[in-house]
Amino acid sequence: LDCVRDLASNMTSKMRIAGIRADGAKCGIDYDPHSPGKKEALYRFIRAIRPLVMERYSLGPDLNTTMCELEAIAERLSIPAVKMAIAKAQGYDLPSFLKRYRVLKQPFGHATVGRIRAGFGLAAACRGALEFLNIPLQEATVAIQGFGGLGSAAAYTLHEAGIKIIAIADEEKSLISTNNESLDIKAILPTKCGNVGLIPSSGISGRYGDPNQIYDVKCDVFIPAAIENAITADNAGAMQIKAVVTGANLAVTQEAQKMLNDRGIIIIPDFVAGCGGSLSMDGLFGPEIEPSAQEVLNHVNNRMRKIVKKIIKRSQQDGVTTREAALRLCSEAPIYPEARPYGPLDI
């Protein structure tokens, strides 16, 4: 319960930093995600919260869930879309809402806009940090801990931008480049919606090892993109990196944050680097005219990079950590509870 409460608080911070006029929420199920009963456990849970999904809770996937799973259950429960709450908040009739919602199902890269949007935002946050560090994209090196929907989408987006992904880890193993050149990301990427989370066990050039070996890789940016408490006091002191761009919620412990800050390593907080999904909803449902898939992702990229640079600048200006700077910006964000969450202020 404490974990989910913290995640909900983090989600509210994501809304604030993204300039979205809504509060955040999270839900979770205490259940073995590898159990054969997972599908029905998800079904029972979403059936129980169906009234909230229809009225005020914009449902989405996180650790150990995929959008495909959620949408299949929504169909069983006659829920037109898992984000029906947005239709009500934005004042859309159902046909207009569903027309825009279908943009998320359009193909993009190895997946769809809906599957890639959060990882696309995480990659944009990474680019913002690299730009601040004055590291040219073609020379930058990145390691990614976690290869689920978020990590794989970030890897794809960064690779397409010419950034070298030199190490990836999942819950079972790591795969590390042996020549400091990029791994063959396209060969590693999952091809099906449900087939995410694990790197192929063989056939990819690189050195396979224990998942914890990812923390020993020297690189410019380290991206935790899976579980909470990924970077702790046990590994933060020895990491050979210049920045942490935190995709996974609560991925860096407070002790580790202090150690990294003391070493001069930039940390882009989880509620910043992880708000790409929220920014995509703003890019999709905010404009008066229905945007294209590329326009939605361009919105995510441009807004995220600006937010990252604004946080770092505020951190330097106030002499505080990037997390404290981001929290100050959140606290200063005006709240308009009667306004639509997305798009220009209409009150």
Side-chain angles (χ1 to χ4, degrees):
L1 179 61
D2 288 341
C3 177
V4 176
R5 186 181 290 117
D6 288 342
L7 291 171
S9 176
N10 230 37
M11 199 69 210
T12 294
S13 295
K14 288 184 184 182
M15 299 295 104
R16 297 287 182 269
I17 204 71
I20 295 169
R21 298 175 290 272
D23 288 332
K26 277 285 181 178
C27 59
I29 305 174
D30 186 5
Y31 194 87
D32 180 2
H34 301 296
S35 165
K38 172 191 172 183
K39 180 179 176 180
E40 291 308 306
L42 269 171
Y43 170 77
R44 292 190 297 273
F45 182 79
I46 295 175
R47 181 179 62 188
I49 65 169
R50 186 182 189 281
L52 296 176
V53 174
M54 294 298 293
E55 294 284 328
R56 58 187 303 211
Y57 181 44
S58 175
L59 184 64
D62 207 315
L63 190 64
N64 296 315
T65 57
T66 68
M67 183 62 89
C68 298
E69 290 174 317
L70 299 183
E71 288 181 334
I73 292 169
E75 187 174 352
R76 285 175 65 186
L77 292 168
S78 299
I79 300 173
V82 295
K83 297 192 173 293
M84 280 301 297
I86 292 176
K88 180 176 181 181
Q90 290 293 108
Y92 286 117
D93 59 47
L94 186 58
S96 299
F97 168 76
L98 291 177
K99 187 169 182 289
R100 290 206 185 205
Y101 189 72
R102 281 193 286 272
V103 171
L104 297 177
K105 298 184 183 297
Q106 292 183 17
F108 191 90
H110 69 291
T112 61
V113 175
R115 285 171 55 197
I116 208 167
R117 60 197 177 97
F120 191 91
L122 178 55
C126 180
R127 290 185 63 172
L130 289 169
E131 287 163 5
F132 170 77
L133 291 166
N134 291 318
I135 300 174
L137 300 188
Q138 305 297 326
E139 298 176 12
T141 54
V142 173
I144 302 176
Q145 187 271 325
F147 206 60
L150 184 64
S152 60
Y156 167 80
T157 307
L158 291 170
H159 184 71
E160 287 293 291
I163 294 168
K164 299 173 187 175
I165 313 298
I166 61 170
I168 294 174
D170 60 27
E171 62 181 321
E172 298 176 350
K173 59 191 171 299
S174 61
L175 177 61
I176 301 168
S177 170
T178 53
N179 57 8
N180 214 44
E181 292 299 318
S182 185
L183 297 169
D184 187 354
I185 297 301
K186 290 188 177 179
I188 305 172
L189 289 169
T191 55
K192 297 180 180 178
C193 184
N195 184 26
V196 295
L198 296 178
I199 307 161
S201 298
S202 61
I204 308 297
S205 249
R207 171 173 57 85
Y208 285 90
D210 183 275
N212 288 327
Q213 290 180 15
I214 191 86
Y215 299 105
D216 301 327
V217 174
K218 182 179 180 181
C219 60
D220 295 314
V221 178
F222 186 92
I223 299 178
I227 57 174
E228 65 267 15
N229 302 327
I231 301 180
T232 67
D234 292 335
N235 53 39
M239 294 178 74
Q240 302 176 74
I241 58 176
K242 296 173 184 174
V244 173
V245 177
T246 317
N249 293 307
L250 313 178
V252 187
T253 66
Q254 290 186 6
E255 296 83 0
Q257 286 179 46
K258 184 177 188 311
M259 293 173 69
L260 294 170
N261 285 321
D262 289 346
R263 295 177 57 204
I265 294 169
I266 293 172
I267 306 172
I268 305 303
D270 49 3
F271 61 89
V272 177
C275 76
S278 301
L279 287 172
S280 72
M281 294 295 93
D282 188 42
L284 178 58
F285 294 108
E288 185 174 341
I289 299 172
E290 180 183 323
S292 67
Q294 190 62 61
E295 285 171 334
V296 171
L297 294 175
N298 287 346
H299 178 84
V300 173
N301 179 52
N302 295 334
R303 288 279 295 125
M304 180 67 84
R305 287 159 72 182
K306 286 179 182 177
I307 290 168
V308 166
K309 292 172 187 175
K310 185 177 182 180
I311 287 164
I312 296 174
K313 183 178 179 181
R314 181 64 179 269
S315 168
Q316 295 177 330
Q317 175 187 311
D318 292 3
V320 296
T321 66
T322 47
R323 184 176 186 82
E324 178 57 34
L327 289 171
R328 290 184 182 186
L329 288 168
C330 288
S331 68
E332 294 164 5
I335 300 172
Y336 301 94
E338 303 305 317
R340 296 182 308 157
Y342 307 112
L345 194 62
D346 57 1
I347 60 170

